[in-house]
Structures are given as structure tokens and as C-alpha cells.
Amino acid sequence: MARVRLENVTKRFGDVVAVNNLSYEVGDGEFLCMLGPSGAGKTTTMRMIAGVERPDEGNIYIGDVPVNDVPPKERDVAMMFQSYALYSHKTVYKNLAFPLEKHKVSKDEVDRRVKEVAEILGISHLLDRLPKQLSGGEKQRVALGRTMVRKPEAYLLDEPLTNLDAKLRAHMRAELKKLREELKTTIIYATPDQLEAMSMADRIAVMNFGKLLQCDTSGAIYNHPKNLFVAGFIGSPAMNFIDCTFVEKEDKAFLDAGEFLYDITELKNLIKDRYTSPELILGIRPEHISISKKPLTEDSIEAEIYVIEPSRPDVIVSISVGTKALEALAPETFRGDIGEKVWITFDRSRVYVFDKKTENAII
Amino acid sequence: MVMVGKTTERIVATVLMYLAVVVVMAATLFPLVWMFITSFKKETDVLTFPPTFVFEPTFDNFIYAFTKSKPPLSLALTNSLIIGACTVALVVPISALAAYSFARFNVGGGHLQFYILTVKMFPAIAAIIPYFIIFRELGLLDHVLSLIILNTLFNLPFAIWLLFGFFREIPQDLEESAMIEGCSKFGAFRDIVLPLIAPGLAVTAIFSTIFTWNEFLFAFILSRARAVTAPVAVAGFWTQRGILWGPLSAAATICIVPMFIFALLIQRYIVRGLTFGAVK
């Protein structure tokens, strides 16, 4: 298995910069997930690694070999397209056999490998069918199978689960994870779904507008997001962001959010060193806000219940503090009425501060 | 069947619909039927008025058509077959590659495509004199090759336009996937794309065959004795002595038969090709 390395890769389509100075590295046997919304540049990057698209700038290495000028069929990667790209005039068997036939593998070997892969994916009974006779989940497994028959150096999976319904998606997520344990190959995976990325990947490369924002393990990305976008994209329900201003009064320092003041005296110097202006954003995840009927600490802020969504096992409570709206996660036992006055408390150790102008994390 | 409305309205609507179908069919088929019948009539029966449908059939016209025609009808039929086959053999590969280039590489940025399409809009008769002169200089007058060239040229615009539509329907994912899995770009075209547009290729071949077989103007002007085609031979019965209706009808019937059988055999491919769209 090989490493895949991207160095300063840029790709433009006319005026649009689809991929902007992207650099990352995928180690042997590592599962790296490119995570980002539509248009982030994930598919374009994947196509450049596969060789179907050429970078305008930068270099791509597969197994330490520069492959910018190498045609796709000689790169020894396998790609699964979001649309599955099944050959509709060939049976499932012939679809799976195609890559092997193109590499001049003997008929017996082709037969053996096709049957082996079909067995692993549970599609042995479908070998004589045509793609149009398959369900969505079956098509997806055939497409996946086609990448597996060749045992390539790296797998490129482009949003493989996006077109499946929720239940099947959850099932396939588990299957993919198990498969990955067995195959131990280098996998580059693209998805807009942060749940998929968090549950399956060794490392996640968060992208937006063609730029790499952070490349780290899922834990690091969740706990130490480097900027606003990453913080807001990971975690569901999403992190709350509150505009505020850094103010100093006597020896203390506060984040002035208009409706309330939050004491951050102990972080005063750290913030002052790093910020570009006093315009800041306070970030706090819903799961780190406690709701209570009475104030818990002197930091507790008075708020009003706006809406309660009992999405079990937790309860999402939308609360309003003056004109600001926040979401907090409460345990299932929480009871409250709309309009009721409650107190919210932030977990001090999980408060994030972002610079409003640069959108980078300060704390 | 009409499905909505009150029962009496529905019956009236359905009857009218069938009536319209019958009228159109009658108008279309009548000349053919008349021609077919005439070919079996004796000379005296041909022009009687009122026209008779009951008569004693004869094969004289057919014998005359084959034996007494100059140039011989058998030559004309052979030429039509050769020209048709060669034209299709040229049109299908050229138009397939051209249409693919337009669809995938946007050669000429749309302008070249438009230019080719305008060839079809050009009134053929305006080009007849230049072509006559060109082929005379080349020494190709009354030669089958000149008709092959011309028919290929005239069928290409339609063929390219038709196949372009088909190629555009094929998602590029399929070719890219094939290339990643080991095909060259041409290999992907050959192994993946071509089989998928096979109905389009069939329709192109069929229409080219029919248009070429029926082509009259250029065949008439550019042939004399050696390169006559079937339509020209049929027109040959319009002599200075008068129109030999019997043999003419017989010849026309003979010339229609191959296309008729051809159409019957491949009609389901035409329908499939024209209602194409089930790639996914």
C-alpha cells in the first residue's frame, strides 16, 4: 500500500478556483476523509488523484512517485464514483470483471476474484443481473466491488453513501468500517456528512471553497477546531456562536455580548496577545450548556425557552437570551414550557473564542 | 381509447380518432397500392376509366422491366446496393467519431457543428452544376464512386447531429471509470460508449440506407449508363414514346421491395433508437 501526497495542488475552472493550494498526506493503510459541503473541492481533488483531471499547479505523488503526467490506468488506484458509474450494458459479473480483464488477468483468476468480492459484499446472487435491475443499495455494493477486485494501492471513494436512504446508510457505514479493518488499505473518502467522517476516518481533512482548513484526527477536530467553519461544521447540533466584544473593567476582562457579560478574566492575556481586534465570537457546543431552573454559578445567564425538540435520547432546547438564540442539549428528563424562564451555564473548560475578522480560533 | 368525459362523448371522440387514422392511412397507402396493382395490369387495363380493380393479372410488365430496360434494371439494383452499402460503411464510423469529438471535446466551439448542419439546409439543386463540373474534371462522371462520395457527404450532417444527441446522454463518469480501471481513452470509447449508443448507430445506418436508396436528383444527373441507381431506372420508363405505366409500376414495385422488407425487419430498432433515453 502506498502513501498519497498532495503538494500545493491548485485547479481552476475558468474564474472559479475549485482547489486552492491544497497539501496533505495520506499514510500507508490510513483512512483519510475529505469533509466539506458541496463545492468544497473534494470531488475535483479526488479526480486529480485518479488522473482524470490535471492540476494546474502543484504535484501529486502516489507511493512517492510523481504522477502528474501518468495516465489514470497506470496509477493503480480504484475510484468509486458518486453516481456509481456502472456499465449498464454489462451484467454485474462483467462489471466486476472489467478492471481485471483490462489488466490481462487469466480467466480463472478473474472468476475467482469476482466471486470472492461478491461473497464479501453479499451480492453473489446478483451476478447475472443488469444494473437497471438492481436496487440503490445493490448498485452501490457492485460499484464498491469493482474497486475491490483489483486490490489497488489506494481506494478513492467519492460520497459512496450519499444516495442511500438513512437506514441503509447507517448499515453501510458499519459495513465499510468492518471492511476497512479486513482490507487494511489506504482509503481516501469524500463526504459532506460529518457523522460519516467522524465515525469512520483516522484523520479528517476539512475543506471549504477549495481550501484545506484543518487536517487532524476526529477527536482533535471536535475538541480543538482551528477556525470558525470547522467548529460550526463538526458536531450535531452545531456549535452556538455569539458575537461579542472584548472589554476590560478594572482588573477583569469580559466578553460583552450585549445581553450578557461573560467573565473570562483568566484568559485575558492570552486573548489580548492573539486577537487582531476586540471583535470576537464566543463558541459553545449545545452539549456543554446546562439548563437549570435556578442559577448554578455566578456565570449563569438568564434565558427564556423558545422551543423544545424532543429528539431522543436528548432534548434540544432552543433558548433565547434577549435577541440571541442558542441551542442547548438537555437530558431526556428535562421538562419545561415555552416562555419559561431558565438559567443557562456554560462549561468553562469548553468555551471557544474566535477572532471575528480572521475566523481563527484563539482559545 | 379516450378515457375522460361522458360515455357518449367518449364514443364519439374515439370514433372520430379512428376515422382520422383511417383517412391518413388511406391517403398514404393508396398510391402504393395503386402502383402495385397497376404493375399486374395489361396495357389495355392500365388506363381504363373508371379504373378497375378486377382484372386478369399478368407478369408481362415485370418481364419487360427486367429484359427490355436500357440500362438494365438488374444493374440499377446492384448499383443501388453497392452505393448504399459503401455510403453506410463510411457514414457510420465518420459520424460516430465526429459526433463524439463534438460531444466530449467541443471541437470548433459549436461553430464547426453549426457549419456542418447548414450543409443540410443548402438546396441541393444549387450545387448540382458545380458537382457536375468537379466530377467531370475528375473523370468520375457516370461512376459509382461519385455517388458514394456525394451520398456520404449529404448523410453526414444528419448522422452527426443524431449521434451527437446520443453521446451527450452518456455520462462522462462511465468513460472516466473505465480509464481508471485500465482503458485508454479510445478503449473506453470502444468498449463502453459505443455499445451504449448502439441504437443510435442502428438508426443512423438505417436512415442513411433509406436516404441513399431513394436519392434521385444527383443520381439522375451524374449517371448515364453505368452508374444508374434504382430510382433513375424507374424514371427511365418515362420515355419519349410516352410513359410506359405498366413496366414503370413493375419496376417501381421491385425497387420498393428491398426497402420495404428492410424496414419491416428493423422497425423495432428505429423505435428503440428514437425513444432512447434509458441509459441510467
Side-chain angles (χ1 to χ4, degrees), chain A residues 10 29 126 130 142 261 318 344:
Chain A
T10 301
L126 299 171
L130 287 175
V142 175
L261 286 173
S318 298
I344 52 170

Side-chain angles (χ1 to χ4, degrees), chain A residues 200-217:
Chain A
M200 293 200 289
D202 291 333
R203 276 192 305 146
I204 304 175
V206 183
M207 293 170 64
N208 195 22
F209 295 127
K211 288 210 179 86
L212 177 68
L213 300 172
Q214 190 171 352
C215 188
D216 246 325
T217 61

Side-chain angles (χ1 to χ4, degrees), chain B residues 244-266:
Chain B
L244 308 172
W245 291 110
L248 188 145
S249 300
T253 305
I254 294 169
C255 290
I256 283 184
V257 163
M259 281 298 113
F260 195 69
I261 297 175
F262 182 59
L264 274 178
L265 288 174
I266 45 88

Side-chain angles (χ1 to χ4, degrees), chain A residues 47 50 52 72-73 77-79 81 83 85-90 98-99 102-103 132 139 146 150, chain B residues 171-184 187 190-193 195-196 278-280:
Chain A
R47 286 160 61 89
V52 179
K73 61 180 176 150
V77 296
M79 181 159 169
F81 288 77
S83 64
L86 297 184
Y87 308 131
S88 45
H89 58 296
K90 293 182 189 280
F98 188 78
K102 285 294 144 194
H103 282 83
K132 63 176 181 229
K139 281 189 201 160
R146 212 167 62 191
R150 257 200 310 133
Chain B
Q172 282 195 277
D173 280 358
L174 298 183
E175 292 157 67
E176 288 170 357
S177 179
M179 290 204 293
I180 295 172
E181 287 169 2
C183 284
S184 60
R190 186 194 56 211
D191 292 333
I192 303 296
V193 183
L196 285 174
V279 180
K280 294 176 198 131

Side-chain angles (χ1 to χ4, degrees), chain A residues 126-193:
Chain A
L126 299 171
L127 288 175
D128 286 324
R129 301 241 188 116
L130 287 175
K132 63 176 181 229
Q133 297 166 306
L134 303 174
S135 71
E138 288 164 349
K139 281 189 201 160
Q140 189 251 10
R141 279 180 281 163
V142 175
L144 191 58
R146 212 167 62 191
T147 61
M148 286 165 59
V149 284
R150 257 200 310 133
K151 305 197 202 304
E153 290 208 46
Y155 287 83
L156 305 171
L157 306 178
D158 190 2
E159 299 197 36
L161 306 183
T162 301
N163 296 335
L164 302 175
D165 61 77
K167 187 158 172 223
L168 196 52
R169 206 188 288 191
H171 172 75
M172 283 310 297
R173 228 174 28 233
E175 290 291 313
L176 270 179
K177 215 163 169 191
K178 195 165 131 237
L179 209 61
R180 187 267 160 127
E181 298 301 316
E182 284 176 23
L183 296 178
K184 300 193 200 316
T185 53
T186 309
I187 301 178
I188 302 179
Y189 189 100
T191 179
D193 184 343

Side-chain angles (χ1 to χ4, degrees), chain A residues 92-344:
Chain A
V92 168
Y93 184 96
K94 287 220 148 278
N95 262 280
L96 293 172
F98 188 78
L100 296 171
E101 285 167 359
K102 285 294 144 194
H103 282 83
K104 312 260 192 304
V105 176
S106 74
K107 270 191 84 170
D108 292 327
E109 183 65 12
V110 170
D111 192 67
R112 190 188 67 81
R113 293 232 213 143
V114 168
K115 297 220 167 94
E116 189 186 351
V117 169
E119 185 70 41
I120 295 175
L121 292 173
I123 48 174
S124 305
H125 60 295
L126 299 171
L127 288 175
D128 286 324
R129 301 241 188 116
L130 287 175
K132 63 176 181 229
Q133 297 166 306
L134 303 174
S135 71
E138 288 164 349
K139 281 189 201 160
Q140 189 251 10
R141 279 180 281 163
V142 175
L144 191 58
R146 212 167 62 191
T147 61
M148 286 165 59
V149 284
R150 257 200 310 133
K151 305 197 202 304
E153 290 208 46
Y155 287 83
L156 305 171
L157 306 178
D158 190 2
E159 299 197 36
L161 306 183
T162 301
N163 296 335
L164 302 175
D165 61 77
K167 187 158 172 223
L168 196 52
R169 206 188 288 191
H171 172 75
M172 283 310 297
R173 228 174 28 233
E175 290 291 313
L176 270 179
K177 215 163 169 191
K178 195 165 131 237
L179 209 61
R180 187 267 160 127
E181 298 301 316
E182 284 176 23
L183 296 178
K184 300 193 200 316
T185 53
T186 309
I187 301 178
I188 302 179
Y189 189 100
T191 179
D193 184 343
Q194 50 106 22
L195 183 56
E196 271 173 41
M198 296 286 277
S199 62
M200 293 200 289
D202 291 333
R203 276 192 305 146
I204 304 175
V206 183
M207 293 170 64
N208 195 22
F209 295 127
K211 288 210 179 86
L212 177 68
L213 300 172
Q214 190 171 352
C215 188
D216 246 325
T217 61
S218 52
I221 287 188
Y222 180 82
N223 291 315
H224 304 289
K226 282 195 191 144
N227 65 28
L228 209 59
F229 179 80
V230 175
F233 198 73
I234 305 284
S236 178
M239 188 186 279
N240 293 294
F241 292 126
I242 306 166
D243 283 333
C244 53
T245 319
F246 182 80
V247 290
E248 290 185 80
K249 251 193 227 176
E250 297 145 13
D251 286 330
K252 292 183 179 234
F254 296 90
L255 291 176
D256 185 352
E259 279 83 352
F260 62 90
L261 286 173
Y262 194 73
D263 188 337
I264 37 104
T265 310
E266 71 271 20
L267 303 169
K268 181 176 73 171
N269 293 320
L270 214 54
I271 295 179
K272 274 175 78 173
D273 281 336
R274 292 183 190 172
Y275 72 37
T276 62
S277 83
E279 304 282 310
L280 302 173
I281 297 179
L282 187 154
I284 184 83
R285 293 199 185 274
E287 51 266 37
H288 301 138
I289 301 180
S290 322
I291 308 181
S292 49
K293 303 294 170 98
K294 295 204 192 51
L296 291 175
T297 72
E298 58 197 25
D299 294 318
S300 296
I301 300 163
E302 193 176 338
E304 194 179 300
I305 295 181
Y306 184 71
V307 133
I308 301 182
E309 293 173 64
S311 65
R312 294 180 173 74
D314 299 306
V315 178
I316 302 177
V317 185
S318 298
I319 40 178
S320 53
V321 182
T323 55
K324 298 206 165 31
L326 299 172
E327 280 189 347
L329 227 50
E332 209 205 340
T333 50
F334 180 80
R335 297 282 176 268
D337 299 309
I338 295 183
E340 191 181 330
K341 286 247 177 313
V342 289
W343 295 87
I344 52 170

